[in-house]
Amino acid sequence: MKQLFLIISVFITISFNSTAQKTPTGNPADFEVKTCLHSVSYAGFWRGQEYLSVDEFLVKAKELGYEGVMLVAKHPHVSPHDYDKAARARLKAKIDSLGLTLVGLAGYTDFTAGIDKPGIPNTEIQASWVGEISELASDLGTDMVRIFTGYERPGIPYDKQYAEVVDGLKMAGKLAAKHDVTLAVQNHHDIALHHDAMSWLLKEVNMPNVMTGWDAWAPVLEGLSSEELRESILKMQPYIVNTIVADYQPYPRFNYINERTNYQAGQPVMRAVPIGEGIIDYKTWFETMKEIGYQGWVVYEMCEVLDGGGSIENLDRTARIFLEYMEQFKFLDNVLTEKEKKEGWELLFDGKTLNGWRGFGLDKAPEGWIAENGTIKILPKTDWPRQADGQPILGTDLITEETFDNFELVWEWKIGTGGNSGIKYNVSEELSISYPPEGCALGFEYQMMDDTGLSGRSMDNSTGALYDLVALAKEKILNPIGEFNTSRIIFNGNRGEHWLNGKKVLEFEMNSSFFDSLLKNSKFNDIHGFAKKRKGHIVLQDHAEAAWFKNIKIRRLNAENN
């Protein structure tokens, strides 16, 4: 069973098929996003913004093409005061009839409100309100409520205010848990706005249903760079269950100082603009979300005075721009990020063709290998083209046209039940042709197979092993059959490493006495020059069974230990 990425504690696990979602897995192959529209975008809160009722908004979200909605849990939309059990049932039926998913309710909290006036249990009141919203959420069929921390009040010691937020979140978390609701604390209010502070806060609260809805716009308005934006995601990875997206453009403000006959700069005012037209680096944001294996909803909101005005037509136009913008992040396979380009990565597969590859011993791609749905696929022999006598044509491994000596290689792969495949490297085509079997490349092989049922000696050649040479030194995380795994080979100088789903599983050093002993006891011992370091091909193995490969990337390294 797939193990979840865990760091600090045991966190809540929520199926992506439910309304809420999993915390990120740490595996880029798991990256998946769905689009959600926030009803605050049509609630009439902002100057010039048109208002739609809840029912009108739901129809609008469906017409625009959104998959889910988040509803404002206060007037004028969905306040617990206005929705008795019958009204809740009607609203849930309406959402279901439109084929929408209610991703969550947007709660509005401020756990430091009234802290300057002792005697009133404001924190308890705030927590009780979250409990009411959580019950409403459960009745409507969602298990997530977005909330805030607290604004910092002047003249009150910071730690006193911070403690109120901690107590409030704990009380609210307990009440929400009664309804199986997760609280997604958004980085919006002053207290614990920065990722280091929020991480500390959630660790201190230490409740499995108090997580975060981590957003990009607050870190950017804090003045964080793109790299710091990325670091904020990595820091918050264990807690992220949601993200809300909006884009803004700052406009300067100045105050005239009469006695100086001059202007003093003020804090810029922010105005909402269509996504991609503002100051927030969403390309880095979603590339990093993929890096951590985020699986979930992306909630879009138009939550300020909007460029072009607040007419229904302009709101709709801007909401559609978001859907178009998100298409590039729904399928990031076989594309290099800007960061990867700067680091020297190259794509070995363009996602569409077998350009750059050919058959072993051939000058073109062999039969049985195809580019399909963004993957390189090896067909099972039962599906191969037939010769005149009805037998499948002779297969062959698929090799790169280029050769590589010192490199880092990453790829994603999956196989079927009972499947067996591999990636070979340090391959000499000339040497391979000299030894049987025909069409089979000789080289170091990263083993990829269905480990089910393996035990004892056979585990030495399980997934991640250096086939027939080096067994796994550590435990591994292997995804279920039919799901993609992420693998990595680092081959630099005489040293080699195999990684699987973010974890190093073995390492070796050529020309060492230990490696020599392994070679002597392997099937490759009588192949002269087999273990010689060379500039070799990268090879996808034909093992007569179906296998899929994608996101095949390589980075050339400077030689070590040569």
Side-chain angles (χ1 to χ4, degrees), residues 336-370:
L336 292 177
T337 66
E338 292 303 315
K339 180 174 181 290
E340 287 173 328
K341 292 175 184 177
K342 290 176 183 178
E343 292 174 345
W345 289 94
E346 305 169 47
L347 278 177
L348 293 184
F349 173 50
D350 63 14
K352 301 175 183 178
T353 70
L354 296 180
N355 292 345
W357 298 82
R358 61 178 176 82
F360 176 81
L362 303 174
D363 59 4
K364 62 179 182 179
E367 299 286 354
W369 290 92
I370 60 173

PDB file of all heavy atoms in Angstrom, residues 336-370:
ATOM      1  N   LEU A 336      10.190  20.617 -19.431  1.00  0.00           N
ATOM      2  CA  LEU A 336      11.182  21.094 -18.468  1.00  0.00           C
ATOM      3  C   LEU A 336      10.717  22.393 -17.830  1.00  0.00           C
ATOM      4  O   LEU A 336      10.203  23.285 -18.520  1.00  0.00           O
ATOM      5  CB  LEU A 336      12.533  21.327 -19.153  1.00  0.00           C
ATOM      6  CG  LEU A 336      13.286  20.107 -19.662  1.00  0.00           C
ATOM      7  CD1 LEU A 336      14.560  20.538 -20.379  1.00  0.00           C
ATOM      8  CD2 LEU A 336      13.632  19.145 -18.530  1.00  0.00           C
ATOM      9  N   THR A 337      10.879  22.502 -16.522  1.00  0.00           N
ATOM     10  CA  THR A 337      10.607  23.768 -15.857  1.00  0.00           C
ATOM     11  C   THR A 337      11.766  24.720 -16.124  1.00  0.00           C
ATOM     12  O   THR A 337      12.851  24.311 -16.551  1.00  0.00           O
ATOM     13  CB  THR A 337      10.457  23.564 -14.345  1.00  0.00           C
ATOM     14  OG1 THR A 337      11.719  23.151 -13.792  1.00  0.00           O
ATOM     15  CG2 THR A 337       9.400  22.507 -14.032  1.00  0.00           C
ATOM     16  N   GLU A 338      11.534  26.003 -15.848  1.00  0.00           N
ATOM     17  CA  GLU A 338      12.607  26.983 -16.018  1.00  0.00           C
ATOM     18  C   GLU A 338      13.777  26.649 -15.109  1.00  0.00           C
ATOM     19  O   GLU A 338      14.941  26.799 -15.476  1.00  0.00           O
ATOM     20  CB  GLU A 338      12.079  28.391 -15.730  1.00  0.00           C
ATOM     21  CG  GLU A 338      11.076  28.897 -16.760  1.00  0.00           C
ATOM     22  CD  GLU A 338      11.644  28.894 -18.175  1.00  0.00           C
ATOM     23  OE1 GLU A 338      12.796  29.336 -18.347  1.00  0.00           O
ATOM     24  OE2 GLU A 338      10.934  28.445 -19.104  1.00  0.00           O
ATOM     25  N   LYS A 339      13.476  26.184 -13.919  1.00  0.00           N
ATOM     26  CA  LYS A 339      14.529  25.811 -12.979  1.00  0.00           C
ATOM     27  C   LYS A 339      15.351  24.645 -13.520  1.00  0.00           C
ATOM     28  O   LYS A 339      16.589  24.639 -13.435  1.00  0.00           O
ATOM     29  CB  LYS A 339      13.916  25.450 -11.625  1.00  0.00           C
ATOM     30  CG  LYS A 339      14.921  25.050 -10.551  1.00  0.00           C
ATOM     31  CD  LYS A 339      14.205  24.856  -9.221  1.00  0.00           C
ATOM     32  CE  LYS A 339      15.184  24.487  -8.123  1.00  0.00           C
ATOM     33  NZ  LYS A 339      15.741  23.148  -8.286  1.00  0.00           N
ATOM     34  N   GLU A 340      14.684  23.646 -14.102  1.00  0.00           N
ATOM     35  CA  GLU A 340      15.383  22.493 -14.665  1.00  0.00           C
ATOM     36  C   GLU A 340      16.274  22.903 -15.833  1.00  0.00           C
ATOM     37  O   GLU A 340      17.390  22.396 -15.982  1.00  0.00           O
ATOM     38  CB  GLU A 340      14.369  21.439 -15.108  1.00  0.00           C
ATOM     39  CG  GLU A 340      13.719  20.700 -13.948  1.00  0.00           C
ATOM     40  CD  GLU A 340      12.602  19.785 -14.391  1.00  0.00           C
ATOM     41  OE1 GLU A 340      11.916  20.106 -15.387  1.00  0.00           O
ATOM     42  OE2 GLU A 340      12.388  18.746 -13.735  1.00  0.00           O
ATOM     43  N   LYS A 341      15.775  23.823 -16.651  1.00  0.00           N
ATOM     44  CA  LYS A 341      16.583  24.296 -17.769  1.00  0.00           C
ATOM     45  C   LYS A 341      17.862  24.949 -17.283  1.00  0.00           C
ATOM     46  O   LYS A 341      18.951  24.707 -17.828  1.00  0.00           O
ATOM     47  CB  LYS A 341      15.776  25.268 -18.630  1.00  0.00           C
ATOM     48  CG  LYS A 341      14.617  24.634 -19.383  1.00  0.00           C
ATOM     49  CD  LYS A 341      13.808  25.695 -20.118  1.00  0.00           C
ATOM     50  CE  LYS A 341      12.585  25.083 -20.793  1.00  0.00           C
ATOM     51  NZ  LYS A 341      11.744  26.120 -21.451  1.00  0.00           N
ATOM     52  N   LYS A 342      17.738  25.769 -16.248  1.00  0.00           N
ATOM     53  CA  LYS A 342      18.907  26.447 -15.701  1.00  0.00           C
ATOM     54  C   LYS A 342      19.900  25.452 -15.105  1.00  0.00           C
ATOM     55  O   LYS A 342      21.101  25.692 -15.096  1.00  0.00           O
ATOM     56  CB  LYS A 342      18.473  27.456 -14.639  1.00  0.00           C
ATOM     57  CG  LYS A 342      17.736  28.658 -15.201  1.00  0.00           C
ATOM     58  CD  LYS A 342      17.256  29.581 -14.091  1.00  0.00           C
ATOM     59  CE  LYS A 342      16.450  30.753 -14.651  1.00  0.00           C
ATOM     60  NZ  LYS A 342      15.942  31.636 -13.570  1.00  0.00           N
ATOM     61  N   GLU A 343      19.379  24.352 -14.602  1.00  0.00           N
ATOM     62  CA  GLU A 343      20.245  23.342 -13.974  1.00  0.00           C
ATOM     63  C   GLU A 343      20.856  22.380 -15.001  1.00  0.00           C
ATOM     64  O   GLU A 343      21.611  21.491 -14.624  1.00  0.00           O
ATOM     65  CB  GLU A 343      19.445  22.549 -12.940  1.00  0.00           C
ATOM     66  CG  GLU A 343      19.043  23.380 -11.723  1.00  0.00           C
ATOM     67  CD  GLU A 343      18.135  22.621 -10.766  1.00  0.00           C
ATOM     68  OE1 GLU A 343      17.579  21.574 -11.172  1.00  0.00           O
ATOM     69  OE2 GLU A 343      17.976  23.072  -9.623  1.00  0.00           O
ATOM     70  N   GLY A 344      20.517  22.545 -16.268  1.00  0.00           N
ATOM     71  CA  GLY A 344      21.137  21.742 -17.306  1.00  0.00           C
ATOM     72  C   GLY A 344      20.414  20.466 -17.686  1.00  0.00           C
ATOM     73  O   GLY A 344      20.988  19.597 -18.357  1.00  0.00           O
ATOM     74  N   TRP A 345      19.152  20.336 -17.301  1.00  0.00           N
ATOM     75  CA  TRP A 345      18.406  19.129 -17.648  1.00  0.00           C
ATOM     76  C   TRP A 345      18.005  19.143 -19.124  1.00  0.00           C
ATOM     77  O   TRP A 345      17.752  20.193 -19.704  1.00  0.00           O
ATOM     78  CB  TRP A 345      17.157  19.006 -16.781  1.00  0.00           C
ATOM     79  CG  TRP A 345      17.455  18.658 -15.359  1.00  0.00           C
ATOM     80  CD1 TRP A 345      17.612  19.519 -14.313  1.00  0.00           C
ATOM     81  CD2 TRP A 345      17.650  17.350 -14.829  1.00  0.00           C
ATOM     82  NE1 TRP A 345      17.890  18.835 -13.157  1.00  0.00           N
ATOM     83  CE2 TRP A 345      17.918  17.492 -13.441  1.00  0.00           C
ATOM     84  CE3 TRP A 345      17.623  16.072 -15.374  1.00  0.00           C
ATOM     85  CZ2 TRP A 345      18.158  16.405 -12.623  1.00  0.00           C
ATOM     86  CZ3 TRP A 345      17.858  14.990 -14.546  1.00  0.00           C
ATOM     87  CH2 TRP A 345      18.129  15.155 -13.187  1.00  0.00           C
ATOM     88  N   GLU A 346      17.938  17.951 -19.713  1.00  0.00           N
ATOM     89  CA  GLU A 346      17.509  17.773 -21.094  1.00  0.00           C
ATOM     90  C   GLU A 346      16.412  16.717 -21.131  1.00  0.00           C
ATOM     91  O   GLU A 346      16.446  15.737 -20.376  1.00  0.00           O
ATOM     92  CB  GLU A 346      18.675  17.291 -21.971  1.00  0.00           C
ATOM     93  CG  GLU A 346      19.910  18.163 -21.936  1.00  0.00           C
ATOM     94  CD  GLU A 346      21.092  17.473 -22.606  1.00  0.00           C
ATOM     95  OE1 GLU A 346      20.915  16.937 -23.718  1.00  0.00           O
ATOM     96  OE2 GLU A 346      22.186  17.447 -21.999  1.00  0.00           O
ATOM     97  N   LEU A 347      15.436  16.910 -22.016  1.00  0.00           N
ATOM     98  CA  LEU A 347      14.384  15.910 -22.205  1.00  0.00           C
ATOM     99  C   LEU A 347      14.861  14.841 -23.177  1.00  0.00           C
ATOM    100  O   LEU A 347      15.387  15.143 -24.248  1.00  0.00           O
ATOM    101  CB  LEU A 347      13.119  16.555 -22.771  1.00  0.00           C
ATOM    102  CG  LEU A 347      12.164  17.256 -21.805  1.00  0.00           C
ATOM    103  CD1 LEU A 347      11.029  17.891 -22.595  1.00  0.00           C
ATOM    104  CD2 LEU A 347      11.604  16.289 -20.776  1.00  0.00           C
ATOM    105  N   LEU A 348      14.671  13.582 -22.816  1.00  0.00           N
ATOM    106  CA  LEU A 348      14.959  12.489 -23.731  1.00  0.00           C
ATOM    107  C   LEU A 348      13.705  12.021 -24.462  1.00  0.00           C
ATOM    108  O   LEU A 348      13.793  11.231 -25.396  1.00  0.00           O
ATOM    109  CB  LEU A 348      15.585  11.316 -22.973  1.00  0.00           C
ATOM    110  CG  LEU A 348      16.982  11.557 -22.385  1.00  0.00           C
ATOM    111  CD1 LEU A 348      17.515  10.277 -21.758  1.00  0.00           C
ATOM    112  CD2 LEU A 348      17.944  12.079 -23.446  1.00  0.00           C
ATOM    113  N   PHE A 349      12.540  12.515 -24.033  1.00  0.00           N
ATOM    114  CA  PHE A 349      11.276  12.154 -24.681  1.00  0.00           C
ATOM    115  C   PHE A 349      10.409  13.395 -24.751  1.00  0.00           C
ATOM    116  O   PHE A 349      10.162  14.051 -23.732  1.00  0.00           O
ATOM    117  CB  PHE A 349      10.582  11.044 -23.890  1.00  0.00           C
ATOM    118  CG  PHE A 349       9.196  10.701 -24.350  1.00  0.00           C
ATOM    119  CD1 PHE A 349       8.917  10.445 -25.689  1.00  0.00           C
ATOM    120  CD2 PHE A 349       8.136  10.630 -23.447  1.00  0.00           C
ATOM    121  CE1 PHE A 349       7.638  10.137 -26.119  1.00  0.00           C
ATOM    122  CE2 PHE A 349       6.856  10.308 -23.857  1.00  0.00           C
ATOM    123  CZ  PHE A 349       6.609  10.071 -25.202  1.00  0.00           C
ATOM    124  N   ASP A 350       9.936  13.742 -25.949  1.00  0.00           N
ATOM    125  CA  ASP A 350       9.162  14.967 -26.133  1.00  0.00           C
ATOM    126  C   ASP A 350       7.682  14.801 -25.823  1.00  0.00           C
ATOM    127  O   ASP A 350       6.901  15.753 -25.927  1.00  0.00           O
ATOM    128  CB  ASP A 350       9.342  15.520 -27.545  1.00  0.00           C
ATOM    129  CG  ASP A 350       8.827  14.564 -28.634  1.00  0.00           C
ATOM    130  OD1 ASP A 350       8.105  13.599 -28.307  1.00  0.00           O
ATOM    131  OD2 ASP A 350       9.166  14.787 -29.814  1.00  0.00           O
ATOM    132  N   GLY A 351       7.280  13.597 -25.447  1.00  0.00           N
ATOM    133  CA  GLY A 351       5.886  13.347 -25.102  1.00  0.00           C
ATOM    134  C   GLY A 351       4.998  12.983 -26.271  1.00  0.00           C
ATOM    135  O   GLY A 351       3.838  12.611 -26.078  1.00  0.00           O
ATOM    136  N   LYS A 352       5.534  13.082 -27.500  1.00  0.00           N
ATOM    137  CA  LYS A 352       4.691  12.862 -28.682  1.00  0.00           C
ATOM    138  C   LYS A 352       5.278  11.871 -29.686  1.00  0.00           C
ATOM    139  O   LYS A 352       4.534  11.180 -30.375  1.00  0.00           O
ATOM    140  CB  LYS A 352       4.450  14.195 -29.387  1.00  0.00           C
ATOM    141  CG  LYS A 352       3.773  15.242 -28.521  1.00  0.00           C
ATOM    142  CD  LYS A 352       3.688  16.580 -29.245  1.00  0.00           C
ATOM    143  CE  LYS A 352       3.073  17.653 -28.358  1.00  0.00           C
ATOM    144  NZ  LYS A 352       3.034  18.977 -29.043  1.00  0.00           N
ATOM    145  N   THR A 353       6.617  11.849 -29.789  1.00  0.00           N
ATOM    146  CA  THR A 353       7.259  11.022 -30.818  1.00  0.00           C
ATOM    147  C   THR A 353       8.413  10.236 -30.198  1.00  0.00           C
ATOM    148  O   THR A 353       8.793  10.462 -29.045  1.00  0.00           O
ATOM    149  CB  THR A 353       7.826  11.895 -31.951  1.00  0.00           C
ATOM    150  OG1 THR A 353       8.971  12.628 -31.454  1.00  0.00           O
ATOM    151  CG2 THR A 353       6.784  12.884 -32.458  1.00  0.00           C
ATOM    152  N   LEU A 354       8.976   9.328 -30.992  1.00  0.00           N
ATOM    153  CA  LEU A 354      10.161   8.582 -30.574  1.00  0.00           C
ATOM    154  C   LEU A 354      11.431   9.203 -31.155  1.00  0.00           C
ATOM    155  O   LEU A 354      12.459   8.521 -31.271  1.00  0.00           O
ATOM    156  CB  LEU A 354      10.037   7.116 -30.995  1.00  0.00           C
ATOM    157  CG  LEU A 354       8.890   6.336 -30.340  1.00  0.00           C
ATOM    158  CD1 LEU A 354       8.883   4.889 -30.834  1.00  0.00           C
ATOM    159  CD2 LEU A 354       8.987   6.373 -28.817  1.00  0.00           C
ATOM    160  N   ASN A 355      11.363  10.487 -31.476  1.00  0.00           N
ATOM    161  CA  ASN A 355      12.548  11.191 -31.950  1.00  0.00           C
ATOM    162  C   ASN A 355      13.654  11.112 -30.900  1.00  0.00           C
ATOM    163  O   ASN A 355      13.401  11.326 -29.714  1.00  0.00           O
ATOM    164  CB  ASN A 355      12.229  12.664 -32.226  1.00  0.00           C
ATOM    165  CG  ASN A 355      11.303  12.843 -33.414  1.00  0.00           C
ATOM    166  OD1 ASN A 355      11.113  11.916 -34.207  1.00  0.00           O
ATOM    167  ND2 ASN A 355      10.717  14.014 -33.560  1.00  0.00           N
ATOM    168  N   GLY A 356      14.868  10.797 -31.353  1.00  0.00           N
ATOM    169  CA  GLY A 356      15.984  10.656 -30.411  1.00  0.00           C
ATOM    170  C   GLY A 356      16.193   9.236 -29.940  1.00  0.00           C
ATOM    171  O   GLY A 356      17.131   8.962 -29.188  1.00  0.00           O
ATOM    172  N   TRP A 357      15.318   8.320 -30.386  1.00  0.00           N
ATOM    173  CA  TRP A 357      15.414   6.916 -29.997  1.00  0.00           C
ATOM    174  C   TRP A 357      15.442   6.052 -31.263  1.00  0.00           C
ATOM    175  O   TRP A 357      14.920   6.441 -32.308  1.00  0.00           O
ATOM    176  CB  TRP A 357      14.217   6.504 -29.141  1.00  0.00           C
ATOM    177  CG  TRP A 357      14.105   7.240 -27.849  1.00  0.00           C
ATOM    178  CD1 TRP A 357      13.558   8.476 -27.648  1.00  0.00           C
ATOM    179  CD2 TRP A 357      14.564   6.797 -26.568  1.00  0.00           C
ATOM    180  NE1 TRP A 357      13.631   8.830 -26.336  1.00  0.00           N
ATOM    181  CE2 TRP A 357      14.255   7.814 -25.637  1.00  0.00           C
ATOM    182  CE3 TRP A 357      15.197   5.643 -26.107  1.00  0.00           C
ATOM    183  CZ2 TRP A 357      14.559   7.708 -24.286  1.00  0.00           C
ATOM    184  CZ3 TRP A 357      15.498   5.525 -24.763  1.00  0.00           C
ATOM    185  CH2 TRP A 357      15.191   6.554 -23.872  1.00  0.00           C
ATOM    186  N   ARG A 358      16.010   4.879 -31.154  1.00  0.00           N
ATOM    187  CA  ARG A 358      15.996   3.897 -32.241  1.00  0.00           C
ATOM    188  C   ARG A 358      16.078   2.509 -31.636  1.00  0.00           C
ATOM    189  O   ARG A 358      16.361   2.338 -30.443  1.00  0.00           O
ATOM    190  CB  ARG A 358      17.157   4.128 -33.207  1.00  0.00           C
ATOM    191  CG  ARG A 358      18.545   4.015 -32.595  1.00  0.00           C
ATOM    192  CD  ARG A 358      19.629   4.216 -33.638  1.00  0.00           C
ATOM    193  NE  ARG A 358      20.970   4.203 -33.086  1.00  0.00           N
ATOM    194  CZ  ARG A 358      21.672   3.108 -32.808  1.00  0.00           C
ATOM    195  NH1 ARG A 358      21.129   1.902 -33.019  1.00  0.00           N
ATOM    196  NH2 ARG A 358      22.896   3.183 -32.325  1.00  0.00           N
ATOM    197  N   GLY A 359      15.844   1.524 -32.470  1.00  0.00           N
ATOM    198  CA  GLY A 359      15.952   0.154 -31.996  1.00  0.00           C
ATOM    199  C   GLY A 359      17.395  -0.282 -31.862  1.00  0.00           C
ATOM    200  O   GLY A 359      18.273   0.186 -32.595  1.00  0.00           O
ATOM    201  N   PHE A 360      17.645  -1.182 -30.949  1.00  0.00           N
ATOM    202  CA  PHE A 360      18.982  -1.750 -30.784  1.00  0.00           C
ATOM    203  C   PHE A 360      19.391  -2.427 -32.094  1.00  0.00           C
ATOM    204  O   PHE A 360      18.689  -3.293 -32.609  1.00  0.00           O
ATOM    205  CB  PHE A 360      18.970  -2.753 -29.633  1.00  0.00           C
ATOM    206  CG  PHE A 360      20.273  -3.470 -29.430  1.00  0.00           C
ATOM    207  CD1 PHE A 360      21.312  -2.875 -28.741  1.00  0.00           C
ATOM    208  CD2 PHE A 360      20.469  -4.740 -29.951  1.00  0.00           C
ATOM    209  CE1 PHE A 360      22.506  -3.528 -28.553  1.00  0.00           C
ATOM    210  CE2 PHE A 360      21.660  -5.407 -29.776  1.00  0.00           C
ATOM    211  CZ  PHE A 360      22.690  -4.796 -29.074  1.00  0.00           C
ATOM    212  N   GLY A 361      20.515  -1.988 -32.658  1.00  0.00           N
ATOM    213  CA  GLY A 361      20.991  -2.550 -33.914  1.00  0.00           C
ATOM    214  C   GLY A 361      20.247  -2.053 -35.137  1.00  0.00           C
ATOM    215  O   GLY A 361      20.450  -2.582 -36.234  1.00  0.00           O
ATOM    216  N   LEU A 362      19.381  -1.059 -34.972  1.00  0.00           N
ATOM    217  CA  LEU A 362      18.581  -0.536 -36.073  1.00  0.00           C
ATOM    218  C   LEU A 362      18.848   0.958 -36.249  1.00  0.00           C
ATOM    219  O   LEU A 362      19.414   1.606 -35.373  1.00  0.00           O
ATOM    220  CB  LEU A 362      17.088  -0.760 -35.807  1.00  0.00           C
ATOM    221  CG  LEU A 362      16.612  -2.199 -35.558  1.00  0.00           C
ATOM    222  CD1 LEU A 362      15.147  -2.207 -35.180  1.00  0.00           C
ATOM    223  CD2 LEU A 362      16.855  -3.062 -36.793  1.00  0.00           C
ATOM    224  N   ASP A 363      18.388   1.505 -37.360  1.00  0.00           N
ATOM    225  CA  ASP A 363      18.529   2.933 -37.586  1.00  0.00           C
ATOM    226  C   ASP A 363      17.191   3.660 -37.451  1.00  0.00           C
ATOM    227  O   ASP A 363      17.053   4.818 -37.819  1.00  0.00           O
ATOM    228  CB  ASP A 363      19.143   3.212 -38.964  1.00  0.00           C
ATOM    229  CG  ASP A 363      18.311   2.625 -40.105  1.00  0.00           C
ATOM    230  OD1 ASP A 363      17.226   2.075 -39.831  1.00  0.00           O
ATOM    231  OD2 ASP A 363      18.764   2.726 -41.264  1.00  0.00           O
ATOM    232  N   LYS A 364      16.182   2.953 -36.939  1.00  0.00           N
ATOM    233  CA  LYS A 364      14.870   3.547 -36.725  1.00  0.00           C
ATOM    234  C   LYS A 364      14.222   2.905 -35.500  1.00  0.00           C
ATOM    235  O   LYS A 364      14.730   1.913 -34.945  1.00  0.00           O
ATOM    236  CB  LYS A 364      13.984   3.333 -37.946  1.00  0.00           C
ATOM    237  CG  LYS A 364      13.711   1.873 -38.263  1.00  0.00           C
ATOM    238  CD  LYS A 364      12.796   1.711 -39.473  1.00  0.00           C
ATOM    239  CE  LYS A 364      12.503   0.239 -39.729  1.00  0.00           C
ATOM    240  NZ  LYS A 364      11.584   0.061 -40.886  1.00  0.00           N
ATOM    241  N   ALA A 365      13.106   3.475 -35.067  1.00  0.00           N
ATOM    242  CA  ALA A 365      12.393   2.893 -33.932  1.00  0.00           C
ATOM    243  C   ALA A 365      11.842   1.527 -34.318  1.00  0.00           C
ATOM    244  O   ALA A 365      11.313   1.358 -35.414  1.00  0.00           O
ATOM    245  CB  ALA A 365      11.267   3.811 -33.503  1.00  0.00           C
ATOM    246  N   PRO A 366      11.939   0.545 -33.445  1.00  0.00           N
ATOM    247  CA  PRO A 366      11.480  -0.812 -33.779  1.00  0.00           C
ATOM    248  C   PRO A 366       9.971  -0.961 -33.629  1.00  0.00           C
ATOM    249  O   PRO A 366       9.303  -0.134 -33.016  1.00  0.00           O
ATOM    250  CB  PRO A 366      12.201  -1.670 -32.748  1.00  0.00           C
ATOM    251  CG  PRO A 366      12.345  -0.767 -31.557  1.00  0.00           C
ATOM    252  CD  PRO A 366      12.566   0.614 -32.115  1.00  0.00           C
ATOM    253  N   GLU A 367       9.434  -2.006 -34.201  1.00  0.00           N
ATOM    254  CA  GLU A 367       8.025  -2.348 -33.993  1.00  0.00           C
ATOM    255  C   GLU A 367       7.813  -2.665 -32.512  1.00  0.00           C
ATOM    256  O   GLU A 367       8.699  -3.144 -31.830  1.00  0.00           O
ATOM    257  CB  GLU A 367       7.643  -3.572 -34.837  1.00  0.00           C
ATOM    258  CG  GLU A 367       7.812  -3.375 -36.337  1.00  0.00           C
ATOM    259  CD  GLU A 367       6.738  -2.502 -36.933  1.00  0.00           C
ATOM    260  OE1 GLU A 367       5.790  -2.146 -36.209  1.00  0.00           O
ATOM    261  OE2 GLU A 367       6.852  -2.173 -38.129  1.00  0.00           O
ATOM    262  N   GLY A 368       6.593  -2.412 -32.045  1.00  0.00           N
ATOM    263  CA  GLY A 368       6.261  -2.751 -30.662  1.00  0.00           C
ATOM    264  C   GLY A 368       6.437  -1.596 -29.694  1.00  0.00           C
ATOM    265  O   GLY A 368       5.927  -1.644 -28.579  1.00  0.00           O
ATOM    266  N   TRP A 369       7.177  -0.558 -30.108  1.00  0.00           N
ATOM    267  CA  TRP A 369       7.360   0.623 -29.267  1.00  0.00           C
ATOM    268  C   TRP A 369       6.556   1.772 -29.879  1.00  0.00           C
ATOM    269  O   TRP A 369       6.677   2.060 -31.070  1.00  0.00           O
ATOM    270  CB  TRP A 369       8.820   1.026 -29.195  1.00  0.00           C
ATOM    271  CG  TRP A 369       9.689   0.073 -28.422  1.00  0.00           C
ATOM    272  CD1 TRP A 369      10.390  -0.971 -28.919  1.00  0.00           C
ATOM    273  CD2 TRP A 369       9.953   0.118 -27.022  1.00  0.00           C
ATOM    274  NE1 TRP A 369      11.084  -1.611 -27.924  1.00  0.00           N
ATOM    275  CE2 TRP A 369      10.829  -0.953 -26.726  1.00  0.00           C
ATOM    276  CE3 TRP A 369       9.544   0.939 -25.971  1.00  0.00           C
ATOM    277  CZ2 TRP A 369      11.297  -1.212 -25.445  1.00  0.00           C
ATOM    278  CZ3 TRP A 369      10.005   0.693 -24.688  1.00  0.00           C
ATOM    279  CH2 TRP A 369      10.867  -0.384 -24.434  1.00  0.00           C
ATOM    280  N   ILE A 370       5.751   2.465 -29.060  1.00  0.00           N
ATOM    281  CA  ILE A 370       4.934   3.559 -29.573  1.00  0.00           C
ATOM    282  C   ILE A 370       4.961   4.729 -28.589  1.00  0.00           C
ATOM    283  O   ILE A 370       5.239   4.553 -27.392  1.00  0.00           O
ATOM    284  CB  ILE A 370       3.470   3.127 -29.809  1.00  0.00           C
ATOM    285  CG1 ILE A 370       2.830   2.632 -28.506  1.00  0.00           C
ATOM    286  CG2 ILE A 370       3.393   2.067 -30.900  1.00  0.00           C
ATOM    287  CD1 ILE A 370       1.334   2.337 -28.632  1.00  0.00           C
TER     288      ILE A 370
END
